[in-house]
Each structure stands twice: as C-alpha cells, then as structure tokens.
C-alpha cells in the first residue's frame, strides 16, 4: 500500500469519528448534513527525493460558501479527499504555477519561497514550479475551513480550531515521514503542535515562516529587511514576476525583501542545530 492509499485510509478512519468533525466547519452544498471532508496532502511523484513537507495555513472555502464554484471537487466524495492532486491534474495544464486548491501555492508566493529555501539548503532546485511540486508534499495544516459567508477566518493563531486538525497532521507525519517541514510560524508557535511534531519526528528540521501574502510583504518584510538585488535571486525572479493575488506592482518589488527574511530564518535555524566537531 503506497503513501497516498495509506493517507486516504487513515483520514477516512479519523473522519469517521464524530470528535474529529468540528461543527463550525464548512458543509457540502449538495448535503448540508455533511461536512466537506479534509483533504490528504498532495504527494509529489518524486517526493522520496526530498522528503520535504510544505504546509500552508488553513483552507479558505469562502468562494464555495457563496457559490457553486468547484462543486465538482468538494461535493464529490472521491475528489474531495484528494482535492489537491485532483485540482493539479485538472487545472494546471497551461499555468506557470500549479493549481492545487491552495491560494499561496496557486499564486506562486509560497512555492517561490519554498524553492528558494530548498536551494539554499542544497536539497533540490527546479526551474519549473510544476517540477518542484512533484518533488515535495504540500497541503494545508488547518484541515477545515470555518463556515461563514462574511469573510475568511484564518485560525493559525487559535488552537481551539487548530486542535481538530492534529489527528490528521499525525497521519501526515507518520506516513510521509518528512525530513524537512516548512510551515506557518504562527501555527508552529503552539505548544501542542510542536509537541506532536517532536513526538512523531524528533529529528525533523522545521522551518517556520510567516505567511507570504501582500499584507506581510508590504507591512512586515519590506519594513524590516533589505531588498535583494535582482542579480542575487536571478533563479527565482522569473517566478516572482508571475506572482498574482495582489503581489504585483510595488508589492512585487517589495517581495525582494522576502528573500532576505528567509536568509535570516535559515541562519537562525542553522545556529539552532548541533555543531559538528
């Protein structure tokens, strides 16, 4: 049984238990008595080459609660539980960045940062985002989306909501056995999250980063970190120029400071590791 089948089985068994189905989560349009089930991570065909697991924050299903968009994904029991791979195969044909039903992957921001991290760590480098995606595993840490028609609620800082995702995260870690995890810093700050990761994977390297969105780019990174010269990040600038979801114009220019922020994160991480004698 491969990793994907193991994940599907473990998620199904976990979701079958009522305590792992939060009442506040988004429900299916086709049957309001049923929650939209959590999706297993996307597992790249070459994942074993890197053993890198990338987590975004929590799924945003606001568009789904307001319309029937992507009902082919979320209302279908087979597609929903592996929706990152399903989306990748159906919608990524002509796009520079793969579409995996995760906004910061779709818009390129998180994948660009991940590529930079993995090259700096001498793990892997691909010139095409789609090839990078097939070399890692990726998903949302928050496995459920809060049901609301007003605005998306990102609960990265709220363990009251995050705790419902932990049984599914346990399955991810136990089955995929990543050697490196890149994930939102606000989530990693939670003691319950760190304890779970350390219990299952005591030797894993965790790279916690702030979310890479337009607000943080303009209000945090660009104010605290110097911009890289384009010549310093030439391998990634073609990716950067194609970023979307508000990361255009001045915000795209400010993205040059994100690389310096990542340098600092990796420097701090290196200082945390035991020094070889």
């Amino acid at each position: 049984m491969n990793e994907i089948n193991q994940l599907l089985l473990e998620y199904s068994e976990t979701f079958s238990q009522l305590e792992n189905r939060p009442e506040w989560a988004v429900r299916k349009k086709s049957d309001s008595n049923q929650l939209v089930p959590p999706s297993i991570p996307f597992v790249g065909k070459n994942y074993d080459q890197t053993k890198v697991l990338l987590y975004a924050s929590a799924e945003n299903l606001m568009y789904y609660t307001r319309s029937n968009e992507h009902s082919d994904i979320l209302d279908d029991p087979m597609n929903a539980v592996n929706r990152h791979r399903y989306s990748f195969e159906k919608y990524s044909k002509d796009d520079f960045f793969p579409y995996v039903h995760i906004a910061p992957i779709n818009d390129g921001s998180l994948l660009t940062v991940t590529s930079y991290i993995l090259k700096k760590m001498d793990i892997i480098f691909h010139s095409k985002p789609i090839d990078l995606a097939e070399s890692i595993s990726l998903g949302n840490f928050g496995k459920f989306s809060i049901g609301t028609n007003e605005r998306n609620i990102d609960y990265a800082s709220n363990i009251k909501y995050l705790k419902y995702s932990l049984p599914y995260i346990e399955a991810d870690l136990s089955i995929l056995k990543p050697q490196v995890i890149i994930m939102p810093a606000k989530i990693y700050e939670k003691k319950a999250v760190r304890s779970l990761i350390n219990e299952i994977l005591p030797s894993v390297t965790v790279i916690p980063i702030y979310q890479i969105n337009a607000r943080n780019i303009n209000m945090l990174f660009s104010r605290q970190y110097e911009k890289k010269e384009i010549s310093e990040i030439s391998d990634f600038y073609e990716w950067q120029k194609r970023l979307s979801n508000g990361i255009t114009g001045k915000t795209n220019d400010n993205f040059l400071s994100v690389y310096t922020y990542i340098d600092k994160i990796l420097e701090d991480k290196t200082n945390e590791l035991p020094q070889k004698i």
Side-chain angles (χ1 to χ4, degrees), residues 7-133:
L7 285 165
L8 288 170
L9 178 59
E10 192 65 32
Y11 269 52
S12 177
E13 291 179 352
T14 302
F15 191 63
S16 69
Q17 302 170 36
L18 289 177
E19 64 267 25
N20 297 322
R21 286 186 268 169
E23 285 296 319
W24 45 262
V26 169
R27 297 177 179 275
K28 290 184 176 183
K29 283 294 190 72
S30 59
D31 185 351
S32 61
N33 291 319
Q34 296 186 44
L35 297 183
V36 173
S39 175
I40 67 168
F42 174 97
V43 182
K45 295 175 181 177
N46 301 311
Y47 168 71
D48 286 342
Q49 293 181 2
T50 67
K51 290 289 187 178
V52 171
L53 175 58
L54 171 64
Y55 278 129
S57 183
E59 190 167 39
N60 177 4
L61 296 183
M62 177 64 67
Y63 74 90
Y64 174 72
T65 62
R66 290 176 172 174
S67 70
N68 289 320
E69 186 180 355
H70 285 328
S71 58
D72 63 315
I73 301 176
L74 300 174
D75 287 339
D76 185 288
M78 295 300 294
N79 297 340
V81 295
N82 196 7
R83 52 186 171 270
H84 304 312
R85 171 58 74 175
Y86 175 84
S87 300
F88 180 90
E89 298 293 345
K90 184 171 182 179
Y91 298 110
S92 297
K93 298 292 189 295
D94 301 318
D95 294 331
F96 184 76
F97 292 109
Y99 184 91
V100 294
H101 208 258
I102 301 174
I105 303 293
N106 303 341
D107 67 29
S109 57
L110 188 52
L111 214 53
T112 301
V113 165
T114 297
S115 183
Y116 184 74
I117 290 172
L118 298 187
K119 186 174 183 184
K120 294 280 290 188
M121 294 179 70
D122 293 323
I123 293 177
I124 202 166
F125 173 72
H126 286 295
S127 59
K128 296 181 179 179
I130 198 165
D131 293 331
L132 173 61

Side-chain angles (χ1 to χ4, degrees), residues 199-259:
E199 178 182 346
I200 299 173
L201 299 169
S203 299
V204 72
T205 298
V206 180
I207 311 295
I209 60 174
Y210 286 121
Q211 295 183 61
I212 312 299
N213 53 41
R215 177 178 175 79
N216 281 348
I217 291 167
N218 292 323
M219 305 300 290
L220 176 62
F221 304 130
S222 68
R223 295 184 178 185
Q224 296 186 22
Y225 301 93
E226 292 185 1
K227 294 178 183 177
K228 288 274 191 180
E229 296 293 332
I230 293 175
S231 59
E232 297 180 82
I233 50 90
S234 55
D235 288 334
F236 309 96
Y237 193 59
E238 187 62 33
W239 294 28
Q240 180 181 329
K241 289 190 297 182
R242 296 171 181 258
L243 300 179
S244 58
N245 196 23
I247 309 177
T248 57
K250 182 173 177 56
T251 302
N252 190 275
D253 183 58
N254 285 339
F255 193 90
L256 292 167
S257 63
V258 174
Y259 304 104

Side-chain angles (χ1 to χ4, degrees), residues 164-183:
Y164 287 98
S165 298
L166 297 185
Y168 303 95
I169 296 298
E170 181 176 353
D172 294 351
L173 303 182
S174 299
I175 293 170
L176 294 174
K177 297 180 174 57
Q179 296 175 0
V180 175
I181 301 173
I182 302 170
M183 64 180 293

Side-chain angles (χ1 to χ4, degrees), residues 257-268:
S257 63
V258 174
Y259 304 104
T260 308
Y261 162 70
I262 295 300
D263 286 347
K264 181 64 166 60
I265 294 296
L266 294 178
E267 178 185 348
D268 292 345

Side-chain angles (χ1 to χ4, degrees), residues 9 53 80 140 148 150-151 153 160 174 185 196 249 269 273:
L9 178 59
L53 175 58
N140 284 302
T148 174
E150 298 177 0
R151 62 181 178 86
I153 302 175
K160 180 178 74 171
S174 299
L196 178 64
K269 178 57 61 175
L273 297 175

